[in-house]
Amino acid sequence: MQSIETSRRELLWNFGGGLGGIALASLLNRDGVSGSDRGVRNVASANRGAVHELQFPAQAKRVVQFFMAGAASHLDLFDYKPELIQRNGQPWDPGEKVELFQNGHGATLASPWTWKQFGECGKHLSEVAAPLGDVVDEMAFVHNMIGRTGVHSTATLLQATGFQTPGFPGMGAWISYGLGSSNENLPTFVVLPDHRGFPSNGQKNWDSGFLPASHQGTIIRPGAANPIDDLFPARSDLVTALGEKSGLELLTDLNRRHAHSRPGDSRLEARIASYELAARMQIAAPEAMSITGEPKHILDMYGLTDRREFPQEINDLEETDIFGRKCLIARRLLERGVRFIQIWSGCDNGFPRRNWDSHEDISRDHGPLSLGMARGAAALIRDLKQRGMLDETIIHWTTEFGRMPCAQGGKGRDHNPFVFTNWLAGGGIQGGTTFGPSDEWGYKPLDRETPTEVYDIHATILRQLGIDHTKLTFRHNGIDRRLTDVHGHVLKAIVS
């Protein structure tokens, strides 16, 4: 029997590593495994979520998080600084020792783009963020965000999980754990990565950590030939219908033996749940991912095109099409009950730049990326509003840190973990507001005693979902862990 159990583990952890195109749900029903079995019962319980009674009236039901990998420059998108324009090219001296990631202490560097006021709130946006001007009155900007490191990997983890080290659940995993699923046929937490690859840390950014594995993010790649890995069997002469059926029957039998001998094993329950979900997704996912029925004016609003050949260098047409496609798919998934969607722009470092890490040339990298992001994000906000969904959907824009007010190499900017920008919209967020200004340079918070940290953003999002961030906990290694660690305050100034 021990050898059988070892083989089962190898099958599960190696063969079943992805979602798997394994219709286990139908097999369980056919083989007479009822809902009274421990594994099935616990899976159903997980779908309901750990929070059985909300601590506050919920203003939102779902979340979309935009994450700009590589560190988007607040000074070139959202945080207007006349001082940089006036002193452009002059020596930059903030009157204190400057701490830099590289050797980027050049002259004062104004944004290469012009700025204009938008909306009734009169918010300044640069020309590459201007598409957001149509919805700026729905948005709340937080300009005094601070990080704790200027290293991409640890800073990305901090913004994604609330911790600088791997092994902690992402915000989407916490929300999945707390609120559970609202559609049993689709994942609760979906990740739409950059088409060029993963960001720093890869899947650790959306891992479930010590939470049950069923709460980790499910990767979907809109527009790809195979958007969801392993959802359907590979087309191969080596895999026959009979062979697949026999393999599934064997796997089901091994699962049942293991479940009965080891009740309460969350890894197995999560894996069984993923197989059941995969079976249901084989029907639900293709419909959710198909945009063929979307009217032309919606496709145009998101900037989608039939064009499939783009210039080799980074360009705004391609960025608009790809980011807009992810935003449209996100809307369709939200409509079908997906609770948390994380949309990435930019991947891990390489050259030419494939992300927002513009050490060499802000115009070259930020221009196309920002226009693509702004067009897609604005379209999603407008679309959700016209469908009556924005009031119950929080949209959160973030990045791992900001960039410096001085030049690096003449046209680029170095890392700035001392201040950067986030913005939120929908879900009870007070639109048309600006909170927590940075100083005249955009170097550090204007009020250095009361900056905003990621814990405050996370606490605010949970509050809008009806959850007290201090009470959503999970016991791990003798500690009641939570998304906000021992920190976090709700940003009452930006919620209605």
Side-chain angles (χ1 to χ4, degrees):
M1 180 60 71
Q2 181 62 38
S3 62
I4 293 178
E5 296 301 334
T6 300
S7 298
R8 188 209 63 81
R9 288 193 187 93
E10 292 174 353
L11 268 172
L12 282 176
W13 295 111
N14 296 325
F15 176 65
L19 278 174
I22 301 178
L24 183 58
S26 60
L27 288 173
L28 288 171
N29 290 333
R30 190 192 68 196
D31 289 343
V33 181
S34 69
S36 63
D37 279 36
R38 178 180 298 272
V40 176
R41 184 173 68 250
N42 286 351
V43 167
S45 177
N47 287 343
R48 288 196 293 269
V51 178
H52 300 298
E53 184 175 348
L54 296 176
Q55 289 88 37
F56 307 105
Q59 302 295 309
K61 297 179 179 178
R62 47 195 172 254
V63 179
V64 177
Q65 184 184 53
F66 297 126
F67 204 119
M68 309 297 109
S73 172
H74 55 299
L75 300 173
D76 296 288
L77 303 179
F78 312 122
D79 201 357
Y80 175 58
K81 295 300 174 187
E83 192 75 14
L84 298 185
I85 299 173
Q86 294 172 12
R87 297 180 180 271
N88 186 43
Q90 299 178 16
W92 180 64
D93 181 9
E96 61 184 286
K97 181 180 178 181
V98 177
E99 188 176 336
L100 295 162
F101 182 72
Q102 296 181 357
N103 58 343
H105 193 167
T108 303
L109 180 65
S111 175
W113 297 291
T114 59
W115 295 75
K116 182 181 175 181
Q117 290 179 283
F118 292 89
E120 294 183 7
C121 64
K123 174 65 179 173
H124 279 91
L125 299 174
S126 84
E127 60 184 290
V128 292
L132 288 165
D134 292 340
V135 295
V136 74
D137 288 326
E138 307 290 343
M139 302 164 66
F141 291 85
V142 181
H143 288 310
N144 67 341
M145 292 290 300
I146 64 169
R148 300 194 170 198
T149 173
V151 177
H152 288 292
S153 56
T154 50
T156 300
L157 281 175
L158 180 62
Q159 299 305 313
T161 72
F163 293 83
Q164 295 185 74
T165 53
F168 290 89
M171 177 167 59
W174 275 109
I175 290 173
S176 172
Y177 167 71
L179 297 180
S181 173
S182 57
N183 183 344
E184 65 176 8
N185 297 325
L186 290 170
T188 307
F189 175 19
V190 166
V191 178
L192 308 180
D194 190 89
H195 61 291
R196 289 158 287 225
F198 289 161
S200 294
N201 314 307
Q203 300 184 58
K204 297 181 182 70
N205 296 308
W206 51 85
D207 194 15
S208 59
F210 43 75
L211 296 177
S214 57
H215 299 295
Q216 66 188 353
T218 296
I219 299 168
I220 296 178
R221 297 179 176 86
N226 184 26
I228 306 174
D229 289 343
D230 303 325
L231 184 59
F232 294 98
R235 295 181 179 179
S236 170
D237 294 336
L238 297 176
V239 181
T240 65
L242 178 61
E244 184 189 6
K245 175 175 177 291
S246 299
L248 296 176
E249 289 175 346
L250 173 62
L251 186 58
T252 302
D253 182 55
L254 294 172
N255 279 336
R256 290 175 61 191
R257 293 190 198 184
H258 188 82
H260 284 295
S261 63
R262 292 168 176 80
D265 187 336
S266 68
R267 295 172 301 171
L268 178 61
E269 291 166 3
R271 189 54 52 89
I272 292 175
S274 73
Y275 295 156
E276 292 178 315
L277 175 61
R280 297 189 296 268
M281 282 179 64
Q282 287 179 336
I283 298 173
E287 185 275 333
M289 297 287 293
S290 175
I291 61 173
T292 56
E294 295 286 344
K296 183 178 184 301
H297 72 275
I298 293 294
L299 300 178
D300 290 343
M301 182 171 69
Y302 282 93
L304 272 58
T305 175
D306 293 331
R307 181 176 176 178
R308 283 293 167 263
E309 294 293 330
F310 295 99
Q312 186 173 5
E313 64 274 8
I314 189 170
N315 63 92
D316 66 290
L317 290 178
E318 184 178 17
E319 296 304 318
T320 297
D321 180 79
I322 290 171
F323 198 84
R325 193 174 300 274
K326 288 189 284 191
C327 289
L328 178 53
I329 293 298
R331 190 219 76 202
R332 294 179 61 84
L333 292 171
L334 293 173
E335 287 179 311
R336 289 155 179 79
V338 174
R339 197 174 292 280
F340 192 101
I341 301 175
Q342 191 176 60
I343 301 178
W344 290 83
S345 171
C347 61
D348 206 355
N349 268 324
F351 196 83
R353 292 287 179 191
R354 306 172 296 167
N355 61 16
W356 296 77
D357 195 20
S358 298
H359 287 278
E360 303 87 13
D361 191 335
I362 283 285
S363 296
R364 181 196 63 197
D365 307 327
H366 271 54
L369 287 169
S370 182
L371 283 169
M373 173 278 298
R375 290 164 179 161
L380 179 60
I381 292 173
R382 287 198 301 270
D383 205 1
L384 291 176
K385 186 173 183 178
Q386 71 184 7
R387 295 168 190 271
M389 296 174 62
L390 185 60
D391 289 344
E392 294 183 336
T393 306
I394 298 171
I395 298 179
H396 172 223
W397 185 99
T398 191
T399 189
E400 60 258 49
F401 40 73
R403 308 204 78 86
M404 281 289 179
C406 54
Q408 180 177 15
K411 298 187 294 183
R413 296 190 193 272
D414 203 353
H415 301 178
N416 182 4
F418 307 114
V419 81
F420 58 103
T421 293
N422 275 201
W423 59 257
L424 300 98
I429 298 298
Q430 186 66 47
T433 58
T434 296
F435 174 78
S438 61
D439 62 23
E440 70 271 25
W441 303 106
Y443 174 47
K444 290 186 177 180
L446 181 61
D447 182 354
R448 300 188 183 185
E449 299 301 317
T450 57
T452 300
E453 296 193 71
V454 65
Y455 317 108
D456 307 317
I457 296 291
H458 288 169
T460 302
I461 291 173
L462 290 179
R463 171 63 176 79
Q464 296 306 95
L465 294 168
I467 299 173
D468 182 340
H469 71 101
T470 67
K471 295 182 179 179
L472 181 61
T473 63
F474 190 92
R475 191 76 171 174
H476 176 65
N477 285 346
I479 302 173
D480 287 330
R481 289 293 191 184
R482 69 187 211 214
L483 174 61
T484 53
D485 196 14
V486 296
H487 314 284
H489 303 280
V490 175
L491 301 177
K492 296 180 180 179
I494 68 169
V495 296
S496 55

